[in-house]
PDB file of all heavy atoms in Angstrom:
ATOM      1  N   SER A  47      14.336 -37.268 -13.138  1.00 88.00           N
ATOM      2  CA  SER A  47      13.869 -36.601 -14.371  1.00 88.00           C
ATOM      3  C   SER A  47      12.498 -35.963 -14.101  1.00 88.00           C
ATOM      4  O   SER A  47      11.720 -36.458 -13.262  1.00 88.00           O
ATOM      5  CB  SER A  47      13.770 -37.606 -15.515  1.00 88.00           C
ATOM      6  OG  SER A  47      12.701 -38.497 -15.292  1.00 88.00           O
ATOM      7  N   ALA A  48      12.214 -34.904 -14.800  1.00 85.00           N
ATOM      8  CA  ALA A  48      10.950 -34.199 -14.607  1.00 85.00           C
ATOM      9  C   ALA A  48       9.758 -35.106 -14.947  1.00 85.00           C
ATOM     10  O   ALA A  48       8.718 -35.036 -14.297  1.00 85.00           O
ATOM     11  CB  ALA A  48      10.922 -32.935 -15.459  1.00 85.00           C
ATOM     12  N   LYS A  49       9.937 -35.963 -15.934  1.00 87.00           N
ATOM     13  CA  LYS A  49       8.858 -36.862 -16.348  1.00 87.00           C
ATOM     14  C   LYS A  49       8.508 -37.855 -15.235  1.00 87.00           C
ATOM     15  O   LYS A  49       7.351 -38.062 -14.905  1.00 87.00           O
ATOM     16  CB  LYS A  49       9.277 -37.591 -17.623  1.00 87.00           C
ATOM     17  CG  LYS A  49       8.184 -38.385 -18.265  1.00 87.00           C
ATOM     18  CD  LYS A  49       8.656 -38.974 -19.588  1.00 87.00           C
ATOM     19  CE  LYS A  49       7.514 -39.704 -20.268  1.00 87.00           C
ATOM     20  NZ  LYS A  49       7.917 -40.274 -21.548  1.00 87.00           N
ATOM     21  N   SER A  50       9.550 -38.453 -14.627  1.00 88.00           N
ATOM     22  CA  SER A  50       9.269 -39.411 -13.541  1.00 88.00           C
ATOM     23  C   SER A  50       8.736 -38.713 -12.302  1.00 88.00           C
ATOM     24  O   SER A  50       7.928 -39.282 -11.569  1.00 88.00           O
ATOM     25  CB  SER A  50      10.539 -40.215 -13.207  1.00 88.00           C
ATOM     26  OG  SER A  50      11.544 -39.367 -12.715  1.00 88.00           O
ATOM     27  N   ALA A  51       9.140 -37.458 -12.069  1.00 87.00           N
ATOM     28  CA  ALA A  51       8.610 -36.686 -10.939  1.00 87.00           C
ATOM     29  C   ALA A  51       7.119 -36.411 -11.141  1.00 87.00           C
ATOM     30  O   ALA A  51       6.329 -36.531 -10.199  1.00 87.00           O
ATOM     31  CB  ALA A  51       9.377 -35.373 -10.787  1.00 87.00           C
ATOM     32  N   LEU A  52       6.751 -36.081 -12.363  1.00 87.00           N
ATOM     33  CA  LEU A  52       5.343 -35.828 -12.673  1.00 87.00           C
ATOM     34  C   LEU A  52       4.525 -37.096 -12.531  1.00 87.00           C
ATOM     35  O   LEU A  52       3.420 -37.075 -11.970  1.00 87.00           O
ATOM     36  CB  LEU A  52       5.203 -35.256 -14.089  1.00 87.00           C
ATOM     37  CG  LEU A  52       3.798 -34.923 -14.558  1.00 87.00           C
ATOM     38  CD1 LEU A  52       3.164 -33.870 -13.639  1.00 87.00           C
ATOM     39  CD2 LEU A  52       3.815 -34.408 -15.986  1.00 87.00           C
ATOM     40  N   GLU A  53       5.076 -38.232 -12.978  1.00 87.00           N
ATOM     41  CA  GLU A  53       4.379 -39.516 -12.827  1.00 87.00           C
ATOM     42  C   GLU A  53       4.178 -39.857 -11.355  1.00 87.00           C
ATOM     43  O   GLU A  53       3.110 -40.321 -10.956  1.00 87.00           O
ATOM     44  CB  GLU A  53       5.170 -40.621 -13.527  1.00 87.00           C
ATOM     45  CG  GLU A  53       5.104 -40.536 -15.042  1.00 87.00           C
ATOM     46  CD  GLU A  53       6.063 -41.511 -15.729  1.00 87.00           C
ATOM     47  OE1 GLU A  53       6.746 -42.302 -15.032  1.00 87.00           O
ATOM     48  OE2 GLU A  53       6.137 -41.467 -16.963  1.00 87.00           O
ATOM     49  N   ALA A  54       5.206 -39.598 -10.528  1.00 87.00           N
ATOM     50  CA  ALA A  54       5.101 -39.876  -9.085  1.00 87.00           C
ATOM     51  C   ALA A  54       4.010 -39.006  -8.451  1.00 87.00           C
ATOM     52  O   ALA A  54       3.248 -39.469  -7.588  1.00 87.00           O
ATOM     53  CB  ALA A  54       6.433 -39.621  -8.406  1.00 87.00           C
ATOM     54  N   ALA A  55       3.921 -37.758  -8.877  1.00 87.00           N
ATOM     55  CA  ALA A  55       2.904 -36.858  -8.338  1.00 87.00           C
ATOM     56  C   ALA A  55       1.512 -37.329  -8.741  1.00 87.00           C
ATOM     57  O   ALA A  55       0.583 -37.333  -7.916  1.00 87.00           O
ATOM     58  CB  ALA A  55       3.147 -35.430  -8.823  1.00 87.00           C
ATOM     59  N   LEU A  56       1.345 -37.721  -9.980  1.00 88.00           N
ATOM     60  CA  LEU A  56       0.038 -38.162 -10.452  1.00 88.00           C
ATOM     61  C   LEU A  56      -0.390 -39.475  -9.805  1.00 88.00           C
ATOM     62  O   LEU A  56      -1.573 -39.702  -9.588  1.00 88.00           O
ATOM     63  CB  LEU A  56       0.048 -38.277 -11.994  1.00 88.00           C
ATOM     64  CG  LEU A  56       0.220 -36.956 -12.755  1.00 88.00           C
ATOM     65  CD1 LEU A  56       0.300 -37.199 -14.253  1.00 88.00           C
ATOM     66  CD2 LEU A  56      -0.900 -35.982 -12.425  1.00 88.00           C
ATOM     67  N   GLU A  57       0.588 -40.355  -9.492  1.00 88.00           N
ATOM     68  CA  GLU A  57       0.259 -41.603  -8.796  1.00 88.00           C
ATOM     69  C   GLU A  57      -0.353 -41.325  -7.434  1.00 88.00           C
ATOM     70  O   GLU A  57      -1.236 -42.047  -6.977  1.00 88.00           O
ATOM     71  CB  GLU A  57       1.528 -42.450  -8.604  1.00 88.00           C
ATOM     72  CG  GLU A  57       1.980 -43.178  -9.841  1.00 88.00           C
ATOM     73  CD  GLU A  57       3.312 -43.902  -9.607  1.00 88.00           C
ATOM     74  OE1 GLU A  57       3.719 -44.054  -8.443  1.00 88.00           O
ATOM     75  OE2 GLU A  57       3.953 -44.290 -10.601  1.00 88.00           O
ATOM     76  N   GLN A  58       0.158 -40.291  -6.776  1.00 87.00           N
ATOM     77  CA  GLN A  58      -0.354 -39.937  -5.441  1.00 87.00           C
ATOM     78  C   GLN A  58      -1.613 -39.083  -5.512  1.00 87.00           C
ATOM     79  O   GLN A  58      -2.193 -38.734  -4.485  1.00 87.00           O
ATOM     80  CB  GLN A  58       0.728 -39.186  -4.652  1.00 87.00           C
ATOM     81  CG  GLN A  58       1.955 -40.012  -4.375  1.00 87.00           C
ATOM     82  CD  GLN A  58       3.007 -39.211  -3.631  1.00 87.00           C
ATOM     83  OE1 GLN A  58       2.694 -38.271  -2.907  1.00 87.00           O
ATOM     84  NE2 GLN A  58       4.277 -39.590  -3.812  1.00 87.00           N
ATOM     85  N   GLY A  59      -2.011 -38.694  -6.716  1.00 88.00           N
ATOM     86  CA  GLY A  59      -3.211 -37.864  -6.891  1.00 88.00           C
ATOM     87  C   GLY A  59      -2.943 -36.396  -6.526  1.00 88.00           C
ATOM     88  O   GLY A  59      -3.867 -35.669  -6.188  1.00 88.00           O
ATOM     89  N   LEU A  60      -1.674 -35.978  -6.620  1.00 88.00           N
ATOM     90  CA  LEU A  60      -1.296 -34.610  -6.273  1.00 88.00           C
ATOM     91  C   LEU A  60      -0.656 -33.922  -7.481  1.00 88.00           C
ATOM     92  O   LEU A  60      -0.587 -34.494  -8.568  1.00 88.00           O
ATOM     93  CB  LEU A  60      -0.329 -34.621  -5.077  1.00 88.00           C
ATOM     94  CG  LEU A  60      -0.890 -35.211  -3.777  1.00 88.00           C
ATOM     95  CD1 LEU A  60       0.199 -35.357  -2.740  1.00 88.00           C
ATOM     96  CD2 LEU A  60      -2.022 -34.336  -3.251  1.00 88.00           C
ATOM     97  N   ASP A  61      -0.182 -32.707  -7.266  1.00 87.00           N
ATOM     98  CA  ASP A  61       0.432 -31.930  -8.344  1.00 87.00           C
ATOM     99  C   ASP A  61       1.937 -31.798  -8.111  1.00 87.00           C
ATOM    100  O   ASP A  61       2.414 -31.836  -6.978  1.00 87.00           O
ATOM    101  CB  ASP A  61      -0.159 -30.513  -8.384  1.00 87.00           C
ATOM    102  CG  ASP A  61      -1.653 -30.532  -8.622  1.00 87.00           C
ATOM    103  OD1 ASP A  61      -2.071 -31.122  -9.607  1.00 87.00           O
ATOM    104  OD2 ASP A  61      -2.398 -29.946  -7.792  1.00 87.00           O
ATOM    105  N   LEU A  62       2.659 -31.614  -9.205  1.00 87.00           N
ATOM    106  CA  LEU A  62       4.089 -31.323  -9.142  1.00 87.00           C
ATOM    107  C   LEU A  62       4.228 -29.808  -9.295  1.00 87.00           C
ATOM    108  O   LEU A  62       3.820 -29.257 -10.314  1.00 87.00           O
ATOM    109  CB  LEU A  62       4.852 -32.056 -10.263  1.00 87.00           C
ATOM    110  CG  LEU A  62       6.365 -31.872 -10.250  1.00 87.00           C
ATOM    111  CD1 LEU A  62       6.965 -32.526  -9.020  1.00 87.00           C
ATOM    112  CD2 LEU A  62       6.981 -32.466 -11.511  1.00 87.00           C
ATOM    113  N   VAL A  63       4.748 -29.152  -8.262  1.00 87.00           N
ATOM    114  CA  VAL A  63       4.811 -27.691  -8.234  1.00 87.00           C
ATOM    115  C   VAL A  63       6.271 -27.246  -8.140  1.00 87.00           C
ATOM    116  O   VAL A  63       7.028 -27.746  -7.303  1.00 87.00           O
ATOM    117  CB  VAL A  63       4.019 -27.122  -7.029  1.00 87.00           C
ATOM    118  CG1 VAL A  63       4.085 -25.610  -7.014  1.00 87.00           C
ATOM    119  CG2 VAL A  63       2.579 -27.596  -7.073  1.00 87.00           C
ATOM    120  N   GLU A  64       6.649 -26.289  -8.986  1.00 87.00           N
ATOM    121  CA  GLU A  64       7.997 -25.745  -8.944  1.00 87.00           C
ATOM    122  C   GLU A  64       8.120 -24.831  -7.725  1.00 87.00           C
ATOM    123  O   GLU A  64       7.335 -23.890  -7.546  1.00 87.00           O
ATOM    124  CB  GLU A  64       8.257 -24.934 -10.213  1.00 87.00           C
ATOM    125  CG  GLU A  64       9.619 -24.294 -10.263  1.00 87.00           C
ATOM    126  CD  GLU A  64       9.781 -23.402 -11.466  1.00 87.00           C
ATOM    127  OE1 GLU A  64       9.110 -22.362 -11.512  1.00 87.00           O
ATOM    128  OE2 GLU A  64      10.564 -23.770 -12.342  1.00 87.00           O
ATOM    129  N   VAL A  65       9.101 -25.111  -6.854  1.00 85.00           N
ATOM    130  CA  VAL A  65       9.292 -24.308  -5.640  1.00 85.00           C
ATOM    131  C   VAL A  65      10.367 -23.264  -5.875  1.00 85.00           C
ATOM    132  O   VAL A  65      10.212 -22.112  -5.491  1.00 85.00           O
ATOM    133  CB  VAL A  65       9.674 -25.232  -4.454  1.00 85.00           C
ATOM    134  CG1 VAL A  65       9.954 -24.422  -3.220  1.00 85.00           C
ATOM    135  CG2 VAL A  65       8.573 -26.242  -4.202  1.00 85.00           C
ATOM    136  N   SER A  66      11.482 -23.671  -6.490  1.00 83.00           N
ATOM    137  CA  SER A  66      12.576 -22.747  -6.734  1.00 83.00           C
ATOM    138  C   SER A  66      13.201 -23.035  -8.090  1.00 83.00           C
ATOM    139  O   SER A  66      13.726 -24.121  -8.315  1.00 83.00           O
ATOM    140  CB  SER A  66      13.636 -22.892  -5.637  1.00 83.00           C
ATOM    141  OG  SER A  66      14.779 -22.135  -5.965  1.00 83.00           O
ATOM    142  N   ASP A  67      13.140 -22.037  -8.972  1.00 81.00           N
ATOM    143  CA  ASP A  67      13.742 -22.229 -10.278  1.00 81.00           C
ATOM    144  C   ASP A  67      15.187 -21.714 -10.301  1.00 81.00           C
ATOM    145  O   ASP A  67      15.912 -21.919 -11.264  1.00 81.00           O
ATOM    146  CB  ASP A  67      12.918 -21.531 -11.366  1.00 81.00           C
ATOM    147  CG  ASP A  67      12.816 -20.037 -11.145  1.00 81.00           C
ATOM    148  OD1 ASP A  67      13.081 -19.572 -10.029  1.00 81.00           O
ATOM    149  OD2 ASP A  67      12.450 -19.330 -12.109  1.00 81.00           O
ATOM    150  N   LYS A  68      15.631 -21.071  -9.232  1.00 83.00           N
ATOM    151  CA  LYS A  68      16.978 -20.517  -9.161  1.00 83.00           C
ATOM    152  C   LYS A  68      18.015 -21.602  -8.843  1.00 83.00           C
ATOM    153  O   LYS A  68      19.185 -21.451  -9.143  1.00 83.00           O
ATOM    154  CB  LYS A  68      17.070 -19.428  -8.085  1.00 83.00           C
ATOM    155  CG  LYS A  68      16.065 -18.316  -8.255  1.00 83.00           C
ATOM    156  CD  LYS A  68      16.489 -17.340  -9.322  1.00 83.00           C
ATOM    157  CE  LYS A  68      15.589 -16.135  -9.342  1.00 83.00           C
ATOM    158  NZ  LYS A  68      14.795 -16.013 -10.523  1.00 83.00           N
ATOM    159  N   ALA A  69      17.593 -22.670  -8.180  1.00 82.00           N
ATOM    160  CA  ALA A  69      18.514 -23.734  -7.790  1.00 82.00           C
ATOM    161  C   ALA A  69      18.977 -24.525  -9.006  1.00 82.00           C
ATOM    162  O   ALA A  69      18.359 -24.470 -10.070  1.00 82.00           O
ATOM    163  CB  ALA A  69      17.840 -24.660  -6.798  1.00 82.00           C
ATOM    164  N   ASP A  70      20.069 -25.264  -8.839  1.00 83.00           N
ATOM    165  CA  ASP A  70      20.572 -26.095  -9.939  1.00 83.00           C
ATOM    166  C   ASP A  70      20.679 -27.522  -9.449  1.00 83.00           C
ATOM    167  O   ASP A  70      21.562 -27.813  -8.636  1.00 83.00           O
ATOM    168  CB  ASP A  70      21.921 -25.579 -10.410  1.00 83.00           C
ATOM    169  CG  ASP A  70      22.406 -26.318 -11.643  1.00 83.00           C
ATOM    170  OD1 ASP A  70      21.547 -26.681 -12.469  1.00 83.00           O
ATOM    171  OD2 ASP A  70      23.629 -26.525 -11.760  1.00 83.00           O
TER     172      ASP A  70
END
Side-chain angles (χ1 to χ4, degrees):
S47 70
K49 189 175 183 179
S50 63
L52 181 60
E53 288 171 3
L56 294 177
E57 282 175 15
Q58 296 178 28
L60 298 172
D61 300 304
L62 183 66
V63 180
E64 179 186 68
V65 177
S66 171
D67 61 343
K68 305 282 189 246
D70 186 35

